[in-house]
């Protein structure tokens, strides 16, 4: 197995996590039990997870010139993520407010901020030629498509995680270029790759099911499924990103991917993410190994 070089592209946020005694109903109120601030954004979360698992990883997205932007860059640098492709624009860094109930379930509020203030042309020509794999998360679909086209032209493989807005934004042209696509169980039924069709999609389809684990379907009709890892969960924010990092760390650089092992490692990474507050977690390889081996 070779160690791949991965470029993650998409949202880079500053997250404010509010831990509540319950998620409020409409016209309801909840009490804040705790709060914290840290870096977030799906692309940045996956990049951090991969870097801490020992995968050489860079990040392409946009942050602002404000203090939050500086804090985001510092945290990514500390985690070992290459931020050279990261674009800085004259705007406020995107802030997301994560409302977390005592059962770990999450609601998200956000503003647009500096996110998606970049174009595919902002990525230097030589970056993708030095990249083995491009991981795309939620972003402008036209930008995602162009990045995927450039990656394919450069000989890199592509994975896509459309995220919460999978049913709102049309990623169909990008999915047609993908090797791997990630959904969670809520996103999958409304995803853009599910129009009526007789032929299966031409990519590996990974669906995460939270505490119930995850499954993989391949274009040849093969199916793998693994149960989740039983841990005391306090916050499910970013668990899917941690899963994607773990899954990719196993399958990239291999000619014959071990999907059963990739699901086991991905589930372990996702479980570790739920044991901490906030969306971004450093995935300690020893802790991942212990959970994976115990599964």
């Amino acid at each position: 197995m070779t160690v791949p070089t991965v470029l993650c592209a998409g949202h880079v946020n500053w997250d404010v996590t509010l831990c509540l005694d319950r998620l409020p109903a409409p016209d309801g109120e909840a009490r804040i039990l705790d709060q914290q601030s840290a870096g977030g954004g799906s692309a940045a979360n996956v990049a951090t997870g991969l870097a801490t698992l020992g995968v050489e990883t860079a990040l392409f997205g946009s942050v602002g010139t404000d203090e939050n932007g500086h804090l985001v860059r510092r945290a990514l640098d500390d985690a070992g993520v290459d931020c050279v492709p990261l674009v800085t624009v004259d705007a406020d860094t995107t802030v997301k407010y994560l409302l977390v109930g005592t059962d770990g379930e999450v609601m998200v509020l956000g503003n647009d901020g500096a996110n998606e203030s970049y174009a595919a042309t902002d990525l230097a020509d030589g970056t993708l030629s030095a990249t083995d794999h491009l991981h795309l998360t939620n972003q402008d679909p036209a930008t995602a498509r162009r990045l995927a086209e450039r990656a394919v032209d450069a000989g890199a493989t592509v994975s896509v995680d459309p995220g919460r807005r999978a049913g709102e934004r049309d990623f169909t042209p990008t999915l047609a270029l993908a090797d791997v696509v990630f959904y969670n169980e809520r996103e999958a039924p409304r995803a853009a790759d599910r129009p009526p069709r007789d032929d299966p999609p031409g990519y590996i389809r990974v669906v995460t099911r939270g505490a119930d684990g995850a499954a993989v379907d391949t274009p040849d009709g093969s199916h793998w499924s693994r149960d989740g890892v039983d841990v005391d969960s306090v916050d499910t924010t970013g668990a899917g990103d941690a899963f994607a990092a773990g899954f990719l760390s196993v399958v990239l650089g291999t000619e014959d991917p071990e999907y059963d092992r990739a699901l086991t490692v991905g589930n372990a990474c996702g479980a570790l993410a739920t044991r901490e507050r906030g969306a971004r977690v450093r995935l300690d390889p020893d802790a991942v190994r212990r959970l994976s081996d115990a599964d």
Side-chain angles (χ1 to χ4, degrees), residues 78-263:
D78 289 345
V81 177
D82 179 358
C83 292
V84 170
L86 192 60
V87 177
T88 300
V89 298
D90 187 15
D92 291 333
T93 300
T94 299
V95 177
K96 294 289 179 74
Y97 296 88
L98 312 174
L99 312 182
V100 184
T102 53
D103 59 357
E105 289 300 303
V106 180
M107 295 172 63
V108 180
L109 309 174
N111 57 31
D112 290 334
N115 263 345
E116 304 188 15
S117 296
Y118 61 93
T121 52
D122 291 323
L123 186 67
D125 289 336
T127 303
L128 284 171
S129 62
T131 297
D132 298 305
H133 183 82
L134 172 67
H135 179 67
L136 296 166
T137 67
N138 183 30
Q139 58 191 287
D140 176 69
T143 301
R145 175 187 57 78
R146 184 60 188 132
L147 289 172
E149 290 171 343
R150 290 177 60 186
V152 171
D153 289 344
T157 52
V158 177
S159 57
V160 182
D161 184 348
R164 289 184 176 88
R165 299 175 68 182
E168 302 172 22
R169 298 179 128 182
D170 184 10
F171 285 94
T172 304
T174 305
L175 299 180
L177 300 168
D179 299 280
V180 182
V181 177
F182 294 94
Y183 296 115
N184 66 34
E185 60 184 344
R186 294 174 181 170
E187 298 159 358
R190 61 177 186 267
D193 71 332
R194 297 285 303 271
R197 58 192 303 168
D198 296 325
D199 58 314
Y203 48 76
I204 299 156
R205 194 169 191 267
V206 186
V207 178
T208 58
R209 303 189 296 254
D212 294 326
V216 169
D217 291 289
T218 59
D220 64 3
S222 299
H223 177 82
W224 287 263
S225 181
R226 293 290 293 178
D227 292 335
V229 180
D230 187 17
V231 297
D232 293 328
S233 174
V234 298
D235 183 358
T236 59
T237 313
D241 298 329
F243 174 93
F247 185 92
L248 291 172
S249 74
V250 174
V251 301
L252 296 182
T254 61
E255 294 184 4
D256 187 16
E258 298 180 10
Y259 294 117
D260 193 66
R261 178 64 178 167
L263 287 170

Side-chain angles (χ1 to χ4, degrees), residues 278-290:
R280 188 178 302 168
V281 60
R282 296 192 182 201
L283 298 172
D284 176 64
D286 291 334
V288 172
R289 192 175 302 110
R290 285 192 297 270

